[in-house]
Amino acid sequence: MSARTSSASSARIDVLPDEVIGTITPDIYGHFTEHLGGCIYDGIWVGENSKIPNVGGIRKALIDHLKRLKPPVIRWPGGCFADSYNWRDGVGPRNTRPRRTNFWADTDYLSKAPNGPQKYEPNQFGTNDFLRLCKSVGAEPYFAGNLRSGSARDFYEWIEYCNSPAGTTTMADLRAQGGEPNPFPVRFWGVGNESWGCGGAFTGADYAVEFRRFIEWVPRFGVKLAFIASGPNVDDYAWTHSFFQKLVEKGPGPLRNVYGTALHYYCGTTGTGVADQFTPVEWYELLFKANRMEQLITNHWQIMGEVDKERRVKLVVDEWGAWHHTDPSIDPSYLWAYFPTLRDALVSGITLDTFNRHADKVAMANAAQLMNNIHSSFLAAGERFTVTPVYHVFDMYAAHQGNKSIRTIVSAPPASQSPQYPLTLSGSCSLRQKGAVLTVVNPDVENWQETEINVRNVRIASARATVLTSRDIHARNTFERPEAVQPVRDENLHAGSPFVYRFAPASVTRLDLDLN
Ligand code: AHR
């Protein structure tokens, strides 16, 4: 990387406290887990008899670190896996559970790996185990139901299994036999996954009919169930249009029963696809692609509003992230596991800031995936464990959860070396009591960005910074160097109005501003 220089103070950030966008629901800081590669087996689940420290079979290091992120919600069991999953396989005595072919077993990469739980699902981690994981880290569970190969009855009996009061139904008895006499209860239910593809190859209109059938009757048990429809693939606006049109063909009633529609957008990779091999131009390319989330949200939202005039239905971005190739040095069975770099941390910052800025539209988001997979916060193999730069961004941004998102205008010069991928400073700001949280991504690989920060009609009394960066844009945490990338705190900023701050090159920064 070339020597870094300082730019003149030509950037400004103006925070407009009177212009509230909405409350940042903690749920946009959610995660996603799937029976895919090393995510569940040897990632989350190590088994009760493992020598790896565990809590009832769940990796203890994961529980301890995940709690720090205040994870609001975790989605499970897929992804594409969900539409071939029979939840009954994963309950009852562990030693009698069936083994099934995993949805991903035939992928080129995995088919060459040795046989194991990644290819032949042993069902050792099931509903009760997932719910224990959620309880132990304080997250709400979000189940992805099986629409392609399961029935509406399977779907509502899973709800009955989780939510019916002790002693009332055969399902509640089954749950009690698994050690959980009391209902959990589970509120979020996805009706299929990617129903335009692996979830059944439906058209938006055909799926709307199936969706209506699945949710037409389900037992409630006093729980305010939130149904999430399978939504569009990236910019498939025709899907959103046709789903909503068909949903209301017999009247607007079904709109009352849709909590959200699930948008999936992976910003992908660049060049060779190897997570830590990229040029500065490819650095910008990936960040530019991450920035596309903004347009996807506003465009789908506009189409949804043509039918949903009362804006009952929100967007749920339940799969997002960068997606690089598998790193075979981790484990040959861990499909799509790799060590995320600083570049992926900036992808996270750009995306979470986008969600904050659209707090009025996005009701939930789930980074794909939590562990040993795409865009992960955690990597583990056997006893080895590390948090990734993505984890640090979630940790820094947790301060936004539950705050009011405030309109914030950023004007800054374009980042250097990226004419074909125009990028500049970007961020989001939220208010809580007498403080503001301002998160900013500086994509420029070589320039500091001196920036004047104003909060309209308010004085910034004091400020603290937390900065995630590295002199090497390819930096990443590995099992050998788990602390190579970690945030640095600066408690002694010179505050005042205007407040001038220099954003480091290739960085994600959180500023905690005390206002009076
Ligand atoms: O996250 C990996 C896969 O990506 C999911 O299973 C699927 O929903 C998406 O295509």
Side-chain angles (χ1 to χ4, degrees):
M1 197 166 94
S2 50
R4 289 169 164 191
T5 54
S6 184
S7 74
S9 173
S10 50
R12 274 184 73 93
I13 297 179
D14 289 289
V15 178
L16 312 177
D18 296 337
E19 299 193 31
V20 177
I21 297 166
T23 299
I24 299 176
T25 161
D27 291 346
I28 66 175
Y29 289 86
H31 298 275
F32 167 45
T33 58
E34 178 168 6
H35 291 243
L36 197 187
C39 181
I40 301 293
Y41 297 110
D42 199 31
I44 295 168
W45 180 255
V46 296
E48 289 140 316
N49 301 322
S50 171
K51 61 181 190 316
I52 299 166
N54 67 84
V55 181
I58 300 170
R59 188 183 286 271
K60 184 168 182 309
L62 172 69
I63 293 177
D64 294 344
H65 285 85
L66 185 51
K67 267 187 198 163
R68 273 198 64 171
L69 301 183
K70 303 200 192 98
V73 57
I74 306 176
R75 178 175 182 243
W76 174 84
C80 294
F81 175 86
D83 275 300
S84 57
Y85 183 61
N86 181 347
W87 66 267
R88 290 183 177 82
D89 291 347
V91 301
R94 257 186 251 289
N95 58 2
T96 61
R97 295 188 191 169
R99 282 169 295 137
R100 309 278 187 206
T101 310
N102 184 290
F103 175 89
W104 298 101
D106 290 331
T107 52
D108 264 6
Y109 187 84
L110 206 49
S111 62
K112 293 184 195 112
N115 289 342
Q118 285 78 19
K119 283 163 80 168
Y120 300 103
E121 170 60 50
N123 283 300
Q124 297 300 289
F125 185 86
T127 298
N128 289 29
D129 309 294
F130 173 66
L131 289 167
R132 278 194 296 113
L133 167 70
C134 291
K135 269 193 202 166
S136 63
V137 298
E140 265 204 79
Y142 165 17
F143 282 87
N146 178 346
L147 181 104
R148 174 174 50 76
S149 62
S151 66
R153 176 185 286 267
D154 293 331
F155 181 68
Y156 71 69
E157 286 188 349
W158 203 4
I159 297 176
E160 199 173 48
Y161 178 87
C162 295
N163 293 358
S164 60
T168 58
T169 66
T170 300
M171 292 297 149
D173 294 349
L174 190 58
R175 185 184 69 224
Q177 284 160 28
E180 299 287 347
N182 296 317
F184 286 101
V186 179
R187 191 159 76 97
F188 295 120
W189 293 89
V191 184
N193 167 76
E194 296 195 348
S195 301
W196 39 265
C198 65
F202 293 100
T203 63
D206 289 347
Y207 170 72
V209 174
E210 289 297 300
F211 178 85
R212 289 201 314 243
R213 192 163 67 83
F214 266 60
I215 65 164
E216 184 52 26
W217 183 83
V218 293
R220 306 274 166 169
F221 308 110
V223 180
K224 199 164 183 290
L225 297 177
F227 295 116
I228 294 159
S230 176
N233 181 26
V234 193
D235 58 356
D236 185 353
Y237 300 119
W239 173 278
T240 302
H241 182 78
S242 57
F243 169 74
F244 275 87
Q245 295 289 339
K246 190 74 177 177
L247 188 70
V248 298
E249 71 175 344
K250 294 176 68 196
L255 285 174
R256 279 197 294 275
N257 272 322
V258 194
Y259 179 78
T261 177
L263 163 66
H264 287 186
Y265 175 52
Y266 291 94
C267 63
T269 187
T270 57
T272 60
V274 179
D276 66 337
Q277 287 177 19
F278 51 85
T279 63
V281 171
E282 287 165 348
W283 158 280
Y284 289 120
E285 183 186 347
L286 190 70
L287 302 186
F288 184 76
K289 291 198 282 184
N291 228 358
R292 208 177 153 205
M293 186 66 87
E294 172 91 26
Q295 187 195 28
L296 295 173
I297 290 172
T298 50
N299 288 355
H300 283 294
W301 183 251
Q302 194 242 320
I303 295 167
M304 289 158 65
E306 288 164 12
V307 169
D308 179 22
K309 306 243 187 281
E310 292 176 27
R311 293 295 190 188
R312 290 174 181 274
V313 185
K314 302 286 185 195
L315 277 163
V316 170
V317 188
D318 60 17
E319 290 186 28
W320 68 269
W323 190 334
H324 307 295
H325 290 183
T326 312
D327 181 338
S329 77
I330 300 173
D331 183 298
S333 301
Y334 290 10
L335 182 61
W336 294 316
Y338 54 84
F339 295 102
T341 67
L342 181 63
R343 182 173 64 154
D344 300 308
L346 269 77
V347 166
S348 310
I350 287 172
T351 307
L352 293 173
D353 281 325
T354 306
F355 295 152
N356 287 344
R357 291 195 302 268
H358 293 285
D360 53 335
K361 309 175 186 69
V362 183
M364 189 200 291
N366 309 74
Q369 301 194 4
L370 181 70
M371 178 158 209
N372 284 352
N373 206 256
I374 306 158
H375 206 85
S376 290
S377 289
F378 306 97
L379 265 292
E383 286 179 274
R384 299 179 301 166
F385 178 87
T386 185
V387 303
T388 73
V390 172
Y391 166 89
H392 288 304
V393 175
F394 271 91
D395 192 17
M396 289 163 65
Y397 277 57
H400 281 297
Q401 291 187 14
N403 297 353
K404 299 264 182 253
S405 176
I406 300 300
R407 195 158 88 85
T408 301
I409 302 167
V410 180
S411 47
S416 58
Q417 298 180 20
S418 68
Q420 67 272 54
Y421 303 114
L423 286 160
T424 185
L425 280 191
S426 62
S428 65
C429 186
S430 68
L431 285 188
R432 56 155 186 244
Q433 283 133 13
K434 290 192 150 192
V437 179
L438 174 64
T439 45
V440 174
V441 172
N442 181 9
D444 198 311
V445 292
E446 53 184 17
N447 291 315
W448 293 79
Q449 192 61 67
E450 189 163 289
T451 306
E452 188 178 310
I453 300 169
N454 293 286
V455 182
R456 186 189 276 170
N457 297 333
V458 181
R459 190 174 155 270
I460 300 172
S462 56
R464 295 165 301 287
T466 309
V467 184
L468 188 73
T469 187
S470 168
R471 292 194 69 79
D472 177 5
I473 58 172
H474 307 94
R476 58 192 196 153
N477 294 343
T478 58
F479 297 130
E480 293 72 34
R481 297 188 61 219
E483 294 178 353
V485 185
Q486 54 177 331
V488 172
R489 298 267 294 168
D490 186 351
E491 304 280 342
N492 300 311
L493 299 180
H494 181 71
S497 294
F499 167 48
V500 176
Y501 184 80
R502 290 173 75 230
F503 291 100
S507 65
V508 181
T509 301
R510 184 184 87 208
L511 292 173
D512 293 290
L513 308 175
D514 301 315
L515 309 175
N516 65 15

